Each structure stands twice: as structure tokens, then as C-alpha cells.
Amino acid sequence: MDYSRPICALLALVVFYLSHLAQCTNAKINFREKEKQILDQILGPGRYDARIRPSGINGTDGPAVVNINLFVRSITTISDIKMEYSVQLTFREQWLDERLKFNNLGGRLKYLTLTEANRVWMPDLFFSNEKEGHFHNIIMPNVYIRIFPNGNVLYSIRISLTLSCPMNLKLYPLDKQTCSLRMASYGWTTDDLVFLWKEGDPVQVVKNLHLPRFTLEKFLTDYCNSKTNTGEYSCLKVDLLFKREFSYYLIQIYIPCCMLVIVSWVSFWLDQGAVPARVSLGVTTLLTMATQSSGINASLPPVSYTKAIDVWTGVCLTFVFGALLEFALVNYASRSDMHRENMKKTRREMEAAASMDAASDLLDTDSNTTFAMKPLVRGNNDKMRQCEIHMTPPKKNCCRIWMSKFPTRSKRIDVISRITFPLVFALFNLAYWSTYLFRDEEEQK
């Protein structure tokens, strides 16, 4: 009996089986296809309903807990006149939905990814102090949803927001402002939905955050639950503490105002007769200071209280206006001095004419009368000497001795102004900076 043919057929069958087994072993599993199958399975129309919220912790009927964290990518503008700020951030929410559990194929499927938020239940969170906002869709929508094997859901999206920021500008520009980012539930009360900050580091800020006129000093997370007629709603907030950069205002406002005030004092050193020079200098500095003040107020909201910059510009404007009024006083005093000199000159001329008339009368009298008059004159001289002996000249202090060097009142006014204006301005600077800097430190505490 010939067994060669069955043996060859058996060997061929074994070889074919082994080759097919090797191909099956070396073949790779298509996990993307597995993801599709799992998504179709857990999100099927008869299995999952996105309108129903997840159950509470450990499957209880308690509220669904949503953990939130933020990543602040940039803060673009902080507007004083509109009292708002713009921020771009990555917003993340994470919660447990046990209906979305799936088999991870021995740890080979770490998570499932979705790009359509309407396929799963989403918390109805909104930003309560938002003015404007938009999503980012370049090149694709910047949003994703990750579903983990244990049912955890991670929702992440990049958004840009313009948020209101009520500011207190009493210390402007030496102030610090606190701007908030508030997030709350719109329809679900705390009986159904609770927002919590993620443990560890709930808020992150990009490194090397640069703002044009502010510095982000610190940020604080807190809770701000609100109660209304319809119930209590969960709320979270982030307080961003901004400190205004003072160097910009020192260069653009404070130093130019000081220079204008000092320039207005130049008129004190000009001659009293240089009327066009002193008037043009005073009017020019006054108009420049007024323009500076109006430009500052144009960049600020019309608040009802007095700001620190209002005190500064108001006092500087008063000093410039005072220098202009000082010249008006000097001009009046100069004309008064001229009138007084003319009156003295006229009086001296009249006295000289009267003395000449008296001398001519004495020459016309006879000698007897002259000899009779001599004792009387001599007696009067003796009395004057006695008075001079008993009367002591009044003592003059240093100020009177110094002021006696300037005979006219107009010159004295200029000299006094040269000392008084800088001294009062220096005292004002001392009081201004000590008051507002110390008040800033107290408010910071």
C-alpha cells in the first residue's frame, strides 16, 4: 500500500496551517476600528441619553460633581475706560459618567476621543461676567472630549473672553485692581450639579506673561455660590490681582507736569518790564498744562470721586496759574511804585521850592531879627540832641536787612516768589507721595 500521497497531503496541510497561524499572529489589531465599535456600543441610541445627567458619587442620587481647572494663555488688554479685560484660556471640565464605561482591551485603549460635544451630557456652565466671547476654529475647532475606561469624561476647549472688571480708580495710577473670572451653572441647582476646583493646581498661567501697563501679582481661587428664587447655584471664581506699572505714568505724566511748573517759575527771574516775555511764558505753560490734564481725563471713565492723578494735575495747574497771577500782581506793584516815585519827586521839588523861598525871605530881614532868632534856633538844636541821645535806633532782623536791598515792592514780590513757590511745591510733593504710597501699602495689607 502506497502511503506517500496521504503523507504529502498531511504535510502540505500542516505547512498551510502553520503559515496561516503565523500570519494571524503577526497581524496588527486595528484599534481605530475597535474605538468605533466601542463608541457605537456605549453611545447607541437605546443605551445612552445625553439629556440625562450622570448619577452622583458612587452611583448615588446625589449631585453630579464637575472638577474644573484653567490654563491662562494670555491676557491681551485691560481697559480702564471700559472697565473690562480680555483673556484667552484653555478651559477644562472633568466628571464621572458611569454609563460610558468600556473595555480597554488589556490597557491598550487609554481613552476615546470625541469632537462633538452634543453626543454626551455636558454641564451647563456659563461665565457670569462675560461681555463677549468666541471659540477658536483655525484650522479645526480647538475642542476635544476624552472618555476614559472607568467613565471619566474630560472636556477641553480654547476660548477667548472679554470680561467686565469694575475698578476703583481713587489711587490711579498708584492703584491695584482685582479682576474676576466667574463661572456658574445656569439651570442645574446644587441638588443636581456642583462645581469644584480640581485638586492640586486648578489655575495655571503661562510663563513670561507680559502686559503693557500691568503686572499680574497673584491669583486666588474661591467659591461664589448664589441663591435666587429658583434655588442655589454652584459658582467658582478666580481673582486676578493686577498692579499698575508706575514707570509709564512717571515718564508720561508726572515728570512733564513738574517741568511745566518749573518753567512757569522762570518768569520770576525776568525783568519786570519784559511784559511780552512773561505773559507769553505764563499763558503757554497754562495752556499746555490744561491740555495735559484733558488728555489724561480722556483716557479714564468719568467717575464721581477724585483720583490721585486729579489731585496732582489740579495742584500743578494751580501753581502755573499762580505764577501768571504773580506777574499781574508784580505789574500792578510796579505801576504803584512808579506812581509813588513820581509823587515823591513832586514833593521834593515842592519842598526845594519852599526852602528857596524861605531862604530868600531870611535874606530880606534886618540883622536885629536875625540875632533874635539865633537863640531860638540854638535851643531847638539842643532839644534835638537830647532826643537823639534818649532814642535808640530800632533793631533790624535778617529778613528786613535782606529785603532792604530791594527798594521796590514789585521786586520784593518776585524775590519772595522765587523762594515761596518752590518751597510750597516741595512740601506738596512730600505730602502727596507719602499719603498715596502709604495708603497703597495699607490697602494691600
Side-chain angles (χ1 to χ4, degrees), residues 36-324:
K36 178 182 178 305
Q37 294 175 3
I38 294 174
L39 286 174
D40 293 339
Q41 180 184 358
I42 64 176
L43 297 177
R47 176 178 176 83
Y48 187 86
D49 191 348
R51 298 172 298 176
I52 307 301
R53 72 167 180 88
S55 59
I57 300 176
N58 297 326
T60 61
D61 196 28
V65 178
V66 179
N67 295 305
I68 293 177
N69 68 315
L70 304 173
F71 176 66
V72 180
R73 292 181 173 272
S74 64
I75 300 175
T76 53
T77 58
I78 301 177
S79 175
D80 297 318
I81 190 169
K82 294 182 179 180
M83 290 195 177
E84 64 183 21
Y85 72 104
S86 299
V87 60
Q88 183 186 128
L89 50 88
T90 298
F91 175 74
R92 303 187 187 97
E93 295 177 309
Q94 193 168 4
W95 65 93
L96 178 63
D97 193 343
E98 295 182 352
R99 296 172 296 174
L100 299 176
K101 291 182 178 180
F102 63 90
N103 184 10
N104 61 358
L105 300 179
R108 295 185 178 183
L109 278 180
K110 295 182 178 180
Y111 52 80
L112 304 175
T113 302
L114 289 177
T115 57
E116 299 175 359
N118 58 354
R119 297 195 62 182
V120 297
W121 177 87
M122 293 290 299
D124 60 342
L125 181 141
F126 77 105
F127 298 93
S128 58
N129 60 334
E130 173 203 354
K131 287 186 175 181
E132 294 179 359
H134 67 273
F135 302 118
H136 293 266
N137 298 319
I138 306 292
I139 298 174
M140 292 292 293
N142 298 164
V143 59
Y144 68 80
I145 299 175
R146 291 178 180 175
I147 303 175
F148 294 88
N150 60 350
N152 272 325
V153 181
L154 173 63
Y155 174 74
S156 178
I157 187 171
R158 186 165 73 99
I159 53 178
S160 292
L161 300 171
T162 300
L163 306 165
S164 64
C165 179
M167 298 182 182
N168 186 356
L169 300 174
K170 289 184 178 180
L171 298 179
Y172 178 89
L174 301 169
D175 57 336
K176 294 181 179 180
Q177 302 297 337
T178 301
C179 296
S180 299
L181 174 64
R182 295 175 176 267
M183 300 160 288
S185 173
Y186 190 81
W188 298 97
T189 63
T190 53
D191 296 332
D192 295 311
L193 180 61
V194 174
F195 291 122
L196 297 176
W197 286 114
K198 186 178 180 180
E199 295 181 359
D201 194 6
V203 177
Q204 300 172 337
V205 179
V206 65
K207 295 181 179 179
N208 301 323
L209 179 64
H210 296 289
L211 299 174
R213 290 183 297 171
F214 287 89
T215 300
L216 180 60
E217 285 196 335
K218 59 182 179 180
F219 50 88
L220 302 173
T221 58
D222 200 357
Y223 295 90
C224 54
N225 291 3
S226 60
K227 292 183 178 180
T228 64
N229 293 333
T230 57
E232 182 179 0
Y233 297 90
S234 183
C235 175
L236 304 178
K237 71 172 182 177
V238 184
D239 290 332
L240 305 173
L241 181 60
F242 297 103
K243 181 179 180 181
R244 198 181 299 271
E245 287 290 343
F246 180 68
S247 58
Y248 169 81
Y249 301 93
L250 180 65
I251 297 173
Q252 296 294 328
I253 296 177
Y254 284 92
I255 292 179
C257 289
C258 285
M259 294 173 65
L260 287 174
V261 173
I262 294 172
V263 168
S264 67
W265 298 342
V266 175
S267 62
F268 304 154
W269 300 86
L270 297 179
D271 187 70
Q272 304 165 8
V275 177
R278 298 187 70 163
V279 170
S280 61
L281 181 63
V283 172
T284 302
T285 52
L286 183 62
L287 292 178
T288 307
M289 192 66 218
T291 305
Q292 182 86 348
S293 301
S294 62
I296 295 169
N297 293 326
S299 61
L300 295 174
V303 294
S304 59
Y305 47 83
T306 303
K307 304 180 289 293
I309 195 66
D310 295 335
V311 176
W312 176 264
T313 55
V315 172
C316 291
L317 189 62
T318 303
F319 271 93
V320 175
F321 183 69
L324 187 60

Side-chain angles (χ1 to χ4, degrees), residues 15-34:
V15 170
F16 174 78
Y17 177 76
L18 291 176
S19 61
H20 179 71
L21 182 62
Q23 290 178 1
C24 293
T25 306
N26 295 330
K28 294 182 179 179
I29 300 175
N30 189 352
F31 290 102
R32 304 289 79 81
E33 186 66 26
K34 291 292 184 181

